[in-house]
């Protein structure tokens, strides 16, 4: 299982203004793969974990990740919005990760990758 965390901005609905705007967002791309002798192939897997965004070391948003990554149907990305807390250095941490192969029901394989982080300056 591989993960790519990202801090970005995505179009989202703003309830205050009643319009679609660019909003700060957390994105985590998940790839689950399996090796059959020499070849690797993408697999459907269930992924869970936690995410947290900090600005200058102070927590501004957090939540849980629970999704099924399915490369055959284009679903391999988790995203969530958060509120900008002013200009600064933002850090996204994805932790307590677990990914279970969803294609084998009799002996599912589970991976527990280490914590991953992404940093950026923004807002």
């Amino acid at each position: 299982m591989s993960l790519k965390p990202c801090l970005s901005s995505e179009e989202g609905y703003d309830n205050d203004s009643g319009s679609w705007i660019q909003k700060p967002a957390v994105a985590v791309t998940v790839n689950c793969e399996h090796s059959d002798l020499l070849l690797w192939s993408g697999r459907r897997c269930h992924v869970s974990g936690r995410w947290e965004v900090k600005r200058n070391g102070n927590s501004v948003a957090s939540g849980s990740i629970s999704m099924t990554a399915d490369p055959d149907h284009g679903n391999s990305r988790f995203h969530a919005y958060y509120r900008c807390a002013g200009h600064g250095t933002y850090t996204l941490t994805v932790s307590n990760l677990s990914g279970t192969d969803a294609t084998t029901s009799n002996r599912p394989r589970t991976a527990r990758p280490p914590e991953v982080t992404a940093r950026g300056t923004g807002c």
Side-chain angles (χ1 to χ4, degrees):
M1 181 167 78
S2 66
L3 301 162
K4 180 181 176 187
C6 182
L7 291 165
S8 65
S9 73
E10 297 181 10
E11 188 173 50
Y13 189 76
D14 181 55
N15 290 326
D16 295 333
S17 67
S19 61
W20 291 88
I21 62 170
Q22 289 292 312
K23 299 171 76 171
V26 167
V28 180
T29 303
V30 179
N31 291 312
C32 296
E33 296 180 324
H34 175 72
S35 172
D36 289 324
L37 295 175
L38 300 174
L39 301 174
W40 285 88
S41 61
R43 294 284 243 221
R44 190 167 57 101
C45 65
H46 301 293
V47 179
S48 62
R50 302 266 323 144
W51 63 270
E52 181 178 28
V53 175
K54 292 183 178 182
R55 178 186 157 265
N56 299 337
N58 299 314
S59 183
V60 295
S62 64
S64 61
I65 296 172
S66 181
M67 66 174 285
T68 298
D70 189 348
D72 294 333
H73 295 95
N75 181 29
S76 62
R77 190 169 171 269
F78 167 84
H79 82 274
Y81 298 110
Y82 66 95
R83 287 196 183 270
C84 179
H87 186 75
T89 300
Y90 285 78
T91 303
L92 165 63
T93 303
V94 181
S95 60
N96 298 323
L97 293 161
S98 177
T100 303
D101 186 346
T103 60
T104 58
S105 58
N106 57 349
R107 264 186 50 201
R109 289 166 267 195
T110 300
R112 289 184 172 72
E115 174 176 291
V116 293
T117 60
R119 286 185 180 78
T121 302
C123 292

